[in-house]
Amino acid sequence: MERKLTDQELVRREKMNKIREANIDPFGQRFDRTDFASDIKEKYKDIPHEDFDAMNDTATVAGRIMFIRKMGKASFFSIKDKTDKIQIYISINDIGEEAYNLFKTADIGDIVGVSGKIMKTQTGEVTIKCLEYTHLVKALRPLPEKFHGLTDVEERYRRRYVDLIMNDDSMRVAMMRPKIIRCIQNFLDNLGFIEVETPILTTLLTGAAARPFVTHHNTQDLDMYLRIALELNLKRLLVGGMESVYEIGRTFRNEGMDTQHNPEFTMMEVYQAYSNLEGMMDLTESMYQTIAENVCNKTTFNYLGHEIDLSGKWKRISMVDSIKEVTGIDFKKEMTVDEALKLAAEHNIEVEAHEHTVGHIINLFFEHYVEETLIQPTFLYGHPVEISPLTKKNPEDPRFVDRFELFISGHECANAYTELNDPIDQLERFEEQVKEKELGNDEANDIDYDFIEALEYGMPPAGGIGYGIDRMIMLFTESDSVRDVLLFPTMKPLNKDN
């Protein structure tokens, strides 16, 4: 269905035609700028207005017009580049009648280039006095009203390009994300880690408990999965002798969407030979604090309604101790499945058929009573073996494994293991996963026999951890939704008529 143009859009197209009739391309050519708005404003912010008379500093800038106040033969307007806005003073006496008439065709949203002298107005605003005006791009659609912007949150996510123009905070988050990722890379590189890339397409469902996206390779007539985790290929590299590796990569889980989940997301997994659970805790604590100090210049953050303090040593507590703190139930004691099921029934905890083990019931108690209470950074360790198929058993109590999760503001932010490197134990865990799948758990793993073979060559003792990069960026940018830190989150398609 063809969309009817608004009156404003029709006027803008008429102006576009006038620009073209003047032998100017309405959609521009290369433009060489020398400066960005934020640099100019910072450099000259403390220089008094009267000192500019003796100066002859110039700049060439480019950006989108965000404000115009036309006043006959002289006008003010502001442009916005990727760093900030800056005010421009333009006069027919400085640029001539032809160029000034071209400026009069400008609308808010157009992209222009300006060369001129740096000055400061009587009110103290750093300004560029335009001596050369260049039309670059005619915007054929008007921007939203300044004081309303994109008020519909869904529209902000669908039309991120408009959101970035109108919403300074969206631009701030978009600019911070790569800085945070670069800080992570520098941190790990300086510790001797090697960044690698592993396949996104896989033939087996392994590495995490999650429902996959299924696709098909036509040439091989083979169903394949988009990876749900990065784990097993990185551990193969430990077998190969790379020792300390990490990957930051896209991962896919065919599950629901909410403020904490997007079906396509960014994970980082880190593996270090000869380390263990405590090593991963220390690395995580240090990495978060490095990002806080080097990128954000602070260690306290308002995250999901709580003031979070990343400084100092973080709390470390076992899963069973955390449950005991809240409920008084001591799952350290040996108990039968029937005893655990009875406790679950007494506490109104629903247990599915594939969860009829003591370990699964412990996890259900944690999720029901404890998870949302872990506000300040907390390393929760000692998970039941039944819910951790890739993790080394605790040598003192084999009912539990050497694993921890990092919780902040009641949400999981990282998941770490002292890695399982016993191929016989690993195969038994995989076989238990197959049994769970037969009982209806569609998130259970397949058996990766090639990985078992790799382990048989010998994988060094190692620590490993996976981080949700999007959630990490939510914390450091103080965002409430994962969609705020993704430039283009997954959205339900609009009706074709819209």
Side-chain angles (χ1 to χ4, degrees), residues 246-290:
Y246 73 97
E247 180 174 9
I248 301 172
R250 288 294 206 198
T251 314
F252 308 84
R253 297 185 182 178
N254 197 351
E255 297 169 349
M257 297 186 294
D258 56 33
T259 58
Q260 292 283 316
H261 297 88
N262 194 69
E264 175 184 3
F265 61 101
T266 301
M267 276 189 76
M268 178 173 73
E269 295 197 25
V270 179
Y271 293 87
Q272 186 171 27
Y274 313 112
S275 186
N276 64 0
L277 208 63
E278 286 71 27
M280 293 297 102
M281 288 183 186
D282 293 341
L283 180 134
T284 299
E285 205 170 74
S286 178
M287 183 176 71
Y288 269 74
Q289 290 167 355
T290 298

mmCIF file of all heavy atoms in Angstrom, residues 246-290:
data_model
loop_
_atom_site.group_PDB
_atom_site.id
_atom_site.type_symbol
_atom_site.label_atom_id
_atom_site.label_comp_id
_atom_site.label_asym_id
_atom_site.label_seq_id
_atom_site.Cartn_x
_atom_site.Cartn_y
_atom_site.Cartn_z
ATOM 1 N N TYR A 246 39.749 -16.647 24.789
ATOM 2 C CA TYR A 246 38.412 -16.087 24.995
ATOM 3 C C TYR A 246 37.794 -15.767 23.648
ATOM 4 O O TYR A 246 38.486 -15.584 22.641
ATOM 5 C CB TYR A 246 38.445 -14.846 25.885
ATOM 6 C CG TYR A 246 39.005 -13.583 25.261
ATOM 7 C CD1 TYR A 246 38.169 -12.604 24.714
ATOM 8 C CD2 TYR A 246 40.376 -13.353 25.236
ATOM 9 C CE1 TYR A 246 38.688 -11.441 24.165
ATOM 10 C CE2 TYR A 246 40.902 -12.189 24.702
ATOM 11 C CZ TYR A 246 40.058 -11.239 24.155
ATOM 12 O OH TYR A 246 40.573 -10.084 23.620
ATOM 13 N N GLU A 247 36.463 -15.704 23.650
ATOM 14 C CA GLU A 247 35.714 -15.323 22.454
ATOM 15 C C GLU A 247 34.543 -14.439 22.870
ATOM 16 O O GLU A 247 33.854 -14.739 23.838
ATOM 17 C CB GLU A 247 35.199 -16.545 21.694
ATOM 18 C CG GLU A 247 34.410 -16.167 20.439
ATOM 19 C CD GLU A 247 34.011 -17.358 19.580
ATOM 20 O OE1 GLU A 247 34.185 -18.512 20.028
ATOM 21 O OE2 GLU A 247 33.518 -17.132 18.457
ATOM 22 N N ILE A 248 34.363 -13.347 22.140
ATOM 23 C CA ILE A 248 33.179 -12.503 22.272
ATOM 24 C C ILE A 248 32.371 -12.728 21.009
ATOM 25 O O ILE A 248 32.826 -12.380 19.916
ATOM 26 C CB ILE A 248 33.556 -11.018 22.426
ATOM 27 C CG1 ILE A 248 34.438 -10.813 23.660
ATOM 28 C CG2 ILE A 248 32.308 -10.150 22.500
ATOM 29 C CD1 ILE A 248 35.011 -9.422 23.798
ATOM 30 N N GLY A 249 31.193 -13.344 21.136
ATOM 31 C CA GLY A 249 30.489 -13.722 19.923
ATOM 32 C C GLY A 249 28.987 -13.783 20.085
ATOM 33 O O GLY A 249 28.453 -13.915 21.184
ATOM 34 N N ARG A 250 28.308 -13.713 18.941
ATOM 35 C CA ARG A 250 26.868 -13.822 18.903
ATOM 36 C C ARG A 250 26.445 -15.255 19.225
ATOM 37 O O ARG A 250 27.025 -16.229 18.749
ATOM 38 C CB ARG A 250 26.332 -13.452 17.519
ATOM 39 C CG ARG A 250 26.406 -11.969 17.218
ATOM 40 C CD ARG A 250 25.491 -11.197 18.127
ATOM 41 N NE ARG A 250 25.058 -9.951 17.543
ATOM 42 C CZ ARG A 250 24.553 -8.942 18.207
ATOM 43 N NH1 ARG A 250 24.405 -9.032 19.517
ATOM 44 N NH2 ARG A 250 24.173 -7.843 17.609
ATOM 45 N N THR A 251 25.402 -15.352 20.038
ATOM 46 C CA THR A 251 24.853 -16.627 20.457
ATOM 47 C C THR A 251 23.337 -16.534 20.342
ATOM 48 O O THR A 251 22.764 -15.446 20.423
ATOM 49 C CB THR A 251 25.265 -16.915 21.915
ATOM 50 O OG1 THR A 251 26.652 -16.628 22.066
ATOM 51 C CG2 THR A 251 25.033 -18.358 22.282
ATOM 52 N N PHE A 252 22.675 -17.680 20.150
ATOM 53 C CA PHE A 252 21.255 -17.672 19.809
ATOM 54 C C PHE A 252 20.501 -18.705 20.638
ATOM 55 O O PHE A 252 20.890 -19.872 20.700
ATOM 56 C CB PHE A 252 21.082 -17.995 18.316
ATOM 57 C CG PHE A 252 21.913 -17.125 17.419
ATOM 58 C CD1 PHE A 252 23.240 -17.427 17.159
ATOM 59 C CD2 PHE A 252 21.372 -15.984 16.834
ATOM 60 C CE1 PHE A 252 24.013 -16.618 16.340
ATOM 61 C CE2 PHE A 252 22.132 -15.172 16.016
ATOM 62 C CZ PHE A 252 23.461 -15.485 15.773
ATOM 63 N N ARG A 253 19.405 -18.259 21.270
ATOM 64 C CA ARG A 253 18.560 -19.182 22.028
ATOM 65 C C ARG A 253 17.110 -18.892 21.691
ATOM 66 O O ARG A 253 16.656 -17.747 21.784
ATOM 67 C CB ARG A 253 18.839 -19.043 23.534
ATOM 68 C CG ARG A 253 20.274 -19.439 23.868
ATOM 69 C CD ARG A 253 20.617 -19.446 25.330
ATOM 70 N NE ARG A 253 22.017 -19.803 25.522
ATOM 71 C CZ ARG A 253 22.642 -19.861 26.691
ATOM 72 N NH1 ARG A 253 21.963 -19.571 27.803
ATOM 73 N NH2 ARG A 253 23.915 -20.188 26.767
ATOM 74 N N ASN A 254 16.407 -19.961 21.323
ATOM 75 C CA ASN A 254 15.040 -19.842 20.813
ATOM 76 C C ASN A 254 14.058 -19.796 21.978
ATOM 77 O O ASN A 254 13.304 -20.737 22.225
ATOM 78 C CB ASN A 254 14.748 -21.022 19.885
ATOM 79 C CG ASN A 254 13.542 -20.764 19.004
ATOM 80 O OD1 ASN A 254 12.826 -19.782 19.189
ATOM 81 N ND2 ASN A 254 13.325 -21.645 18.052
ATOM 82 N N GLU A 255 14.116 -18.673 22.693
ATOM 83 C CA GLU A 255 13.345 -18.555 23.928
ATOM 84 C C GLU A 255 12.637 -17.208 23.975
ATOM 85 O O GLU A 255 12.695 -16.422 23.028
ATOM 86 C CB GLU A 255 14.304 -18.732 25.123
ATOM 87 C CG GLU A 255 14.936 -20.132 25.151
ATOM 88 C CD GLU A 255 16.076 -20.260 26.141
ATOM 89 O OE1 GLU A 255 16.523 -19.224 26.666
ATOM 90 O OE2 GLU A 255 16.519 -21.393 26.378
ATOM 91 N N GLY A 256 11.987 -16.908 25.095
ATOM 92 C CA GLY A 256 11.177 -15.708 25.214
ATOM 93 C C GLY A 256 12.003 -14.432 25.252
ATOM 94 O O GLY A 256 13.223 -14.450 25.414
ATOM 95 N N MET A 257 11.306 -13.312 25.097
ATOM 96 C CA MET A 257 11.950 -12.001 25.146
ATOM 97 C C MET A 257 11.377 -11.214 26.316
ATOM 98 O O MET A 257 10.179 -11.207 26.543
ATOM 99 C CB MET A 257 11.717 -11.234 23.840
ATOM 100 C CG MET A 257 12.319 -11.892 22.604
ATOM 101 S SD MET A 257 12.168 -10.848 21.119
ATOM 102 C CE MET A 257 10.387 -10.822 20.889
ATOM 103 N N ASP A 258 12.263 -10.556 27.067
ATOM 104 C CA ASP A 258 11.842 -9.645 28.126
ATOM 105 C C ASP A 258 12.966 -8.648 28.353
ATOM 106 O O ASP A 258 13.875 -8.536 27.530
ATOM 107 C CB ASP A 258 11.475 -10.405 29.412
ATOM 108 C CG ASP A 258 12.608 -11.290 29.933
ATOM 109 O OD1 ASP A 258 13.788 -10.915 29.755
ATOM 110 O OD2 ASP A 258 12.323 -12.335 30.536
ATOM 111 N N THR A 259 12.933 -7.929 29.471
ATOM 112 C CA THR A 259 13.931 -6.889 29.692
ATOM 113 C C THR A 259 15.334 -7.451 29.889
ATOM 114 O O THR A 259 16.314 -6.711 29.801
ATOM 115 C CB THR A 259 13.566 -6.033 30.927
ATOM 116 O OG1 THR A 259 13.458 -6.898 32.077
ATOM 117 C CG2 THR A 259 12.251 -5.295 30.704
ATOM 118 N N GLN A 260 15.433 -8.771 30.150
ATOM 119 C CA GLN A 260 16.742 -9.399 30.365
ATOM 120 C C GLN A 260 17.159 -10.331 29.230
ATOM 121 O O GLN A 260 18.294 -10.825 29.234
ATOM 122 C CB GLN A 260 16.713 -10.204 31.675
ATOM 123 C CG GLN A 260 16.594 -9.356 32.924
ATOM 124 C CD GLN A 260 17.899 -8.702 33.316
ATOM 125 O OE1 GLN A 260 18.953 -9.316 33.300
ATOM 126 N NE2 GLN A 260 17.833 -7.421 33.649
ATOM 127 N N HIS A 261 16.260 -10.597 28.285
ATOM 128 C CA HIS A 261 16.540 -11.618 27.275
ATOM 129 C C HIS A 261 16.199 -11.138 25.861
ATOM 130 O O HIS A 261 15.142 -10.546 25.639
ATOM 131 C CB HIS A 261 15.726 -12.898 27.560
ATOM 132 C CG HIS A 261 16.063 -13.554 28.856
ATOM 133 N ND1 HIS A 261 15.440 -13.223 30.035
ATOM 134 C CD2 HIS A 261 16.981 -14.504 29.161
ATOM 135 C CE1 HIS A 261 15.940 -13.963 31.020
ATOM 136 N NE2 HIS A 261 16.872 -14.750 30.509
ATOM 137 N N ASN A 262 17.115 -11.413 24.936
ATOM 138 C CA ASN A 262 16.894 -11.237 23.505
ATOM 139 C C ASN A 262 17.352 -12.541 22.857
ATOM 140 O O ASN A 262 18.376 -13.100 23.266
ATOM 141 C CB ASN A 262 17.716 -10.053 22.979
ATOM 142 C CG ASN A 262 17.272 -9.619 21.593
ATOM 143 O OD1 ASN A 262 16.181 -9.090 21.423
ATOM 144 N ND2 ASN A 262 18.114 -9.843 20.599
ATOM 145 N N PRO A 263 16.625 -13.069 21.871
ATOM 146 C CA PRO A 263 17.007 -14.382 21.319
ATOM 147 C C PRO A 263 18.385 -14.391 20.659
ATOM 148 O O PRO A 263 19.029 -15.431 20.584
ATOM 149 C CB PRO A 263 15.899 -14.681 20.305
ATOM 150 C CG PRO A 263 15.207 -13.385 20.064
ATOM 151 C CD PRO A 263 15.357 -12.583 21.308
ATOM 152 N N GLU A 264 18.842 -13.244 20.182
ATOM 153 C CA GLU A 264 20.204 -13.102 19.656
ATOM 154 C C GLU A 264 20.959 -12.190 20.616
ATOM 155 O O GLU A 264 20.545 -11.062 20.869
ATOM 156 C CB GLU A 264 20.155 -12.474 18.260
ATOM 157 C CG GLU A 264 21.504 -12.168 17.670
ATOM 158 C CD GLU A 264 21.410 -11.454 16.332
ATOM 159 O OE1 GLU A 264 20.281 -11.149 15.898
ATOM 160 O OE2 GLU A 264 22.464 -11.198 15.737
ATOM 161 N N PHE A 265 22.053 -12.678 21.176
ATOM 162 C CA PHE A 265 22.745 -11.895 22.196
ATOM 163 C C PHE A 265 24.250 -12.131 22.102
ATOM 164 O O PHE A 265 24.710 -13.014 21.365
ATOM 165 C CB PHE A 265 22.220 -12.244 23.592
ATOM 166 C CG PHE A 265 22.408 -13.680 23.998
ATOM 167 C CD1 PHE A 265 23.435 -14.048 24.842
ATOM 168 C CD2 PHE A 265 21.537 -14.669 23.537
ATOM 169 C CE1 PHE A 265 23.609 -15.372 25.217
ATOM 170 C CE2 PHE A 265 21.698 -15.998 23.905
ATOM 171 C CZ PHE A 265 22.745 -16.346 24.746
ATOM 172 N N THR A 266 25.001 -11.315 22.837
ATOM 173 C CA THR A 266 26.459 -11.416 22.810
ATOM 174 C C THR A 266 26.954 -12.054 24.097
ATOM 175 O O THR A 266 26.622 -11.601 25.183
ATOM 176 C CB THR A 266 27.107 -10.032 22.628
ATOM 177 O OG1 THR A 266 26.634 -9.459 21.415
ATOM 178 C CG2 THR A 266 28.619 -10.146 22.569
ATOM 179 N N MET A 267 27.743 -13.115 23.942
ATOM 180 C CA MET A 267 28.360 -13.803 25.071
ATOM 181 C C MET A 267 29.867 -13.643 24.990
ATOM 182 O O MET A 267 30.422 -13.474 23.904
ATOM 183 C CB MET A 267 28.048 -15.302 25.044
ATOM 184 C CG MET A 267 26.741 -15.715 25.646
ATOM 185 S SD MET A 267 26.670 -17.517 25.754
ATOM 186 C CE MET A 267 27.740 -17.810 27.149
ATOM 187 N N MET A 268 30.499 -13.707 26.117
ATOM 188 C CA MET A 268 31.951 -13.910 26.140
ATOM 189 C C MET A 268 32.240 -15.108 27.023
ATOM 190 O O MET A 268 31.723 -15.200 28.137
ATOM 191 C CB MET A 268 32.685 -12.694 26.683
ATOM 192 C CG MET A 268 34.207 -12.928 26.743
ATOM 193 S SD MET A 268 35.169 -11.479 27.193
ATOM 194 C CE MET A 268 34.790 -11.350 28.944
ATOM 195 N N GLU A 269 33.039 -16.034 26.506
ATOM 196 C CA GLU A 269 33.503 -17.147 27.321
ATOM 197 C C GLU A 269 35.020 -17.088 27.391
ATOM 198 O O GLU A 269 35.696 -16.783 26.400
ATOM 199 C CB GLU A 269 33.015 -18.485 26.759
ATOM 200 C CG GLU A 269 31.488 -18.614 26.836
ATOM 201 C CD GLU A 269 30.996 -20.039 26.677
ATOM 202 O OE1 GLU A 269 31.766 -20.972 26.982
ATOM 203 O OE2 GLU A 269 29.842 -20.214 26.250
ATOM 204 N N VAL A 270 35.537 -17.347 28.596
ATOM 205 C CA VAL A 270 36.964 -17.242 28.892
ATOM 206 C C VAL A 270 37.415 -18.550 29.528
ATOM 207 O O VAL A 270 36.765 -19.044 30.461
ATOM 208 C CB VAL A 270 37.230 -16.072 29.868
ATOM 209 C CG1 VAL A 270 38.714 -15.968 30.191
ATOM 210 C CG2 VAL A 270 36.705 -14.759 29.299
ATOM 211 N N TYR A 271 38.530 -19.111 29.042
ATOM 212 C CA TYR A 271 39.068 -20.358 29.594
ATOM 213 C C TYR A 271 40.553 -20.182 29.860
ATOM 214 O O TYR A 271 41.290 -19.666 29.021
ATOM 215 C CB TYR A 271 38.826 -21.534 28.639
ATOM 216 C CG TYR A 271 37.356 -21.830 28.527
ATOM 217 C CD1 TYR A 271 36.568 -21.154 27.592
ATOM 218 C CD2 TYR A 271 36.743 -22.731 29.383
ATOM 219 C CE1 TYR A 271 35.205 -21.375 27.516
ATOM 220 C CE2 TYR A 271 35.379 -22.963 29.313
ATOM 221 C CZ TYR A 271 34.622 -22.281 28.379
ATOM 222 O OH TYR A 271 33.277 -22.499 28.325
ATOM 223 N N GLN A 272 40.985 -20.615 31.055
ATOM 224 C CA GLN A 272 42.384 -20.460 31.453
ATOM 225 C C GLN A 272 42.898 -21.764 32.024
ATOM 226 O O GLN A 272 42.428 -22.240 33.066
ATOM 227 C CB GLN A 272 42.519 -19.337 32.476
ATOM 228 C CG GLN A 272 43.965 -19.014 32.832
ATOM 229 C CD GLN A 272 44.078 -17.762 33.677
ATOM 230 O OE1 GLN A 272 43.150 -17.400 34.397
ATOM 231 N NE2 GLN A 272 45.207 -17.073 33.588
ATOM 232 N N ALA A 273 43.880 -22.337 31.343
ATOM 233 C CA ALA A 273 44.495 -23.573 31.816
ATOM 234 C C ALA A 273 45.190 -23.325 33.143
ATOM 235 O O ALA A 273 45.732 -22.238 33.393
ATOM 236 C CB ALA A 273 45.491 -24.090 30.779
ATOM 237 N N TYR A 274 45.137 -24.344 34.005
ATOM 238 C CA TYR A 274 45.795 -24.353 35.313
ATOM 239 C C TYR A 274 45.146 -23.392 36.312
ATOM 240 O O TYR A 274 45.701 -23.146 37.381
ATOM 241 C CB TYR A 274 47.307 -24.071 35.178
ATOM 242 C CG TYR A 274 47.939 -24.907 34.089
ATOM 243 C CD1 TYR A 274 48.414 -24.322 32.927
ATOM 244 C CD2 TYR A 274 47.984 -26.301 34.201
ATOM 245 C CE1 TYR A 274 48.946 -25.096 31.909
ATOM 246 C CE2 TYR A 274 48.508 -27.087 33.189
ATOM 247 C CZ TYR A 274 48.991 -26.475 32.039
ATOM 248 O OH TYR A 274 49.496 -27.254 31.016
ATOM 249 N N SER A 275 43.969 -22.874 35.980
ATOM 250 C CA SER A 275 43.212 -22.058 36.920
ATOM 251 C C SER A 275 42.072 -22.885 37.482
ATOM 252 O O SER A 275 41.941 -24.078 37.202
ATOM 253 C CB SER A 275 42.690 -20.794 36.224
ATOM 254 O OG SER A 275 42.073 -19.926 37.157
ATOM 255 N N ASN A 276 41.228 -22.258 38.291
ATOM 256 C CA ASN A 276 40.085 -22.945 38.875
ATOM 257 C C ASN A 276 39.005 -21.925 39.205
ATOM 258 O O ASN A 276 39.041 -20.779 38.739
ATOM 259 C CB ASN A 276 40.492 -23.744 40.122
ATOM 260 C CG ASN A 276 40.989 -22.837 41.253
ATOM 261 O OD1 ASN A 276 41.042 -21.616 41.124
ATOM 262 N ND2 ASN A 276 41.353 -23.455 42.366
ATOM 263 N N LEU A 277 38.049 -22.350 40.045
ATOM 264 C CA LEU A 277 36.910 -21.493 40.370
ATOM 265 C C LEU A 277 37.351 -20.175 41.014
ATOM 266 O O LEU A 277 36.885 -19.099 40.630
ATOM 267 C CB LEU A 277 35.979 -22.249 41.325
ATOM 268 C CG LEU A 277 34.495 -21.881 41.281
ATOM 269 C CD1 LEU A 277 33.910 -22.204 39.920
ATOM 270 C CD2 LEU A 277 33.742 -22.616 42.374
ATOM 271 N N GLU A 278 38.260 -20.264 41.976
ATOM 272 C CA GLU A 278 38.716 -19.051 42.656
ATOM 273 C C GLU A 278 39.428 -18.117 41.678
ATOM 274 O O GLU A 278 39.302 -16.890 41.761
ATOM 275 C CB GLU A 278 39.651 -19.399 43.829
ATOM 276 C CG GLU A 278 38.941 -19.981 45.040
ATOM 277 C CD GLU A 278 38.433 -21.399 44.809
ATOM 278 O OE1 GLU A 278 39.021 -22.129 43.968
ATOM 279 O OE2 GLU A 278 37.429 -21.778 45.442
ATOM 280 N N GLY A 279 40.176 -18.692 40.736
ATOM 281 C CA GLY A 279 40.841 -17.875 39.731
ATOM 282 C C GLY A 279 39.852 -17.109 38.872
ATOM 283 O O GLY A 279 40.074 -15.936 38.534
ATOM 284 N N MET A 280 38.736 -17.751 38.542
ATOM 285 C CA MET A 280 37.710 -17.080 37.741
ATOM 286 C C MET A 280 36.996 -15.996 38.538
ATOM 287 O O MET A 280 36.609 -14.965 37.991
ATOM 288 C CB MET A 280 36.696 -18.105 37.224
ATOM 289 C CG MET A 280 37.250 -19.094 36.208
ATOM 290 S SD MET A 280 37.824 -18.335 34.666
ATOM 291 C CE MET A 280 39.610 -18.323 34.923
ATOM 292 N N MET A 281 36.826 -16.229 39.845
ATOM 293 C CA MET A 281 36.236 -15.188 40.697
ATOM 294 C C MET A 281 37.140 -13.955 40.734
ATOM 295 O O MET A 281 36.681 -12.819 40.559
ATOM 296 C CB MET A 281 36.024 -15.712 42.118
ATOM 297 C CG MET A 281 34.897 -16.717 42.265
ATOM 298 S SD MET A 281 34.687 -17.199 44.008
ATOM 299 C CE MET A 281 33.452 -18.493 43.877
ATOM 300 N N ASP A 282 38.433 -14.193 40.941
ATOM 301 C CA ASP A 282 39.375 -13.070 41.016
ATOM 302 C C ASP A 282 39.429 -12.312 39.695
ATOM 303 O O ASP A 282 39.449 -11.069 39.678
ATOM 304 C CB ASP A 282 40.768 -13.588 41.386
ATOM 305 C CG ASP A 282 40.830 -14.162 42.796
ATOM 306 O OD1 ASP A 282 39.930 -13.841 43.609
ATOM 307 O OD2 ASP A 282 41.753 -14.945 43.071
ATOM 308 N N LEU A 283 39.452 -13.055 38.582
ATOM 309 C CA LEU A 283 39.503 -12.417 37.270
ATOM 310 C C LEU A 283 38.258 -11.571 37.017
ATOM 311 O O LEU A 283 38.333 -10.439 36.528
ATOM 312 C CB LEU A 283 39.653 -13.492 36.172
ATOM 313 C CG LEU A 283 39.713 -12.986 34.735
ATOM 314 C CD1 LEU A 283 40.835 -13.677 33.976
ATOM 315 C CD2 LEU A 283 38.394 -13.220 34.010
ATOM 316 N N THR A 284 37.096 -12.115 37.378
ATOM 317 C CA THR A 284 35.832 -11.409 37.159
ATOM 318 C C THR A 284 35.762 -10.128 37.977
ATOM 319 O O THR A 284 35.415 -9.057 37.463
ATOM 320 C CB THR A 284 34.651 -12.326 37.525
ATOM 321 O OG1 THR A 284 34.682 -13.476 36.678
ATOM 322 C CG2 THR A 284 33.320 -11.608 37.358
ATOM 323 N N GLU A 285 36.089 -10.234 39.244
ATOM 324 C CA GLU A 285 36.079 -9.066 40.129
ATOM 325 C C GLU A 285 36.995 -7.977 39.580
ATOM 326 O O GLU A 285 36.619 -6.792 39.505
ATOM 327 C CB GLU A 285 36.566 -9.514 41.511
ATOM 328 C CG GLU A 285 36.108 -8.685 42.677
ATOM 329 C CD GLU A 285 36.476 -9.394 43.976
ATOM 330 O OE1 GLU A 285 37.681 -9.390 44.338
ATOM 331 O OE2 GLU A 285 35.579 -9.976 44.608
ATOM 332 N N SER A 286 38.194 -8.363 39.174
ATOM 333 C CA SER A 286 39.169 -7.403 38.663
ATOM 334 C C SER A 286 38.710 -6.793 37.342
ATOM 335 O O SER A 286 38.877 -5.583 37.116
ATOM 336 C CB SER A 286 40.527 -8.095 38.483
ATOM 337 O OG SER A 286 41.481 -7.207 37.958
ATOM 338 N N MET A 287 38.123 -7.597 36.463
ATOM 339 C CA MET A 287 37.683 -7.090 35.163
ATOM 340 C C MET A 287 36.559 -6.070 35.318
ATOM 341 O O MET A 287 36.590 -4.999 34.702
ATOM 342 C CB MET A 287 37.228 -8.242 34.267
ATOM 343 C CG MET A 287 36.828 -7.800 32.854
ATOM 344 S SD MET A 287 36.400 -9.198 31.797
ATOM 345 C CE MET A 287 34.847 -9.706 32.524
ATOM 346 N N TYR A 288 35.554 -6.385 36.123
ATOM 347 C CA TYR A 288 34.444 -5.449 36.352
ATOM 348 C C TYR A 288 34.966 -4.138 36.941
ATOM 349 O O TYR A 288 34.547 -3.046 36.536
ATOM 350 C CB TYR A 288 33.407 -6.062 37.296
ATOM 351 C CG TYR A 288 32.300 -6.830 36.610
ATOM 352 C CD1 TYR A 288 32.525 -8.082 36.050
ATOM 353 C CD2 TYR A 288 31.014 -6.311 36.524
ATOM 354 C CE1 TYR A 288 31.516 -8.797 35.435
ATOM 355 C CE2 TYR A 288 29.984 -7.019 35.911
ATOM 356 C CZ TYR A 288 30.246 -8.264 35.364
ATOM 357 O OH TYR A 288 29.242 -8.963 34.738
ATOM 358 N N GLN A 289 35.861 -4.236 37.902
ATOM 359 C CA GLN A 289 36.378 -3.024 38.535
ATOM 360 C C GLN A 289 37.239 -2.213 37.577
ATOM 361 O O GLN A 289 37.232 -0.976 37.618
ATOM 362 C CB GLN A 289 37.148 -3.403 39.802
ATOM 363 C CG GLN A 289 36.222 -3.909 40.906
ATOM 364 C CD GLN A 289 36.939 -4.578 42.062
ATOM 365 O OE1 GLN A 289 38.157 -4.774 42.033
ATOM 366 N NE2 GLN A 289 36.188 -4.954 43.103
ATOM 367 N N THR A 290 37.952 -2.883 36.665
ATOM 368 C CA THR A 290 38.747 -2.179 35.654
ATOM 369 C C THR A 290 37.848 -1.415 34.700
ATOM 370 O O THR A 290 38.121 -0.250 34.360
ATOM 371 C CB THR A 290 39.620 -3.182 34.875
ATOM 372 O OG1 THR A 290 40.533 -3.809 35.779
ATOM 373 C CG2 THR A 290 40.401 -2.487 33.771
#
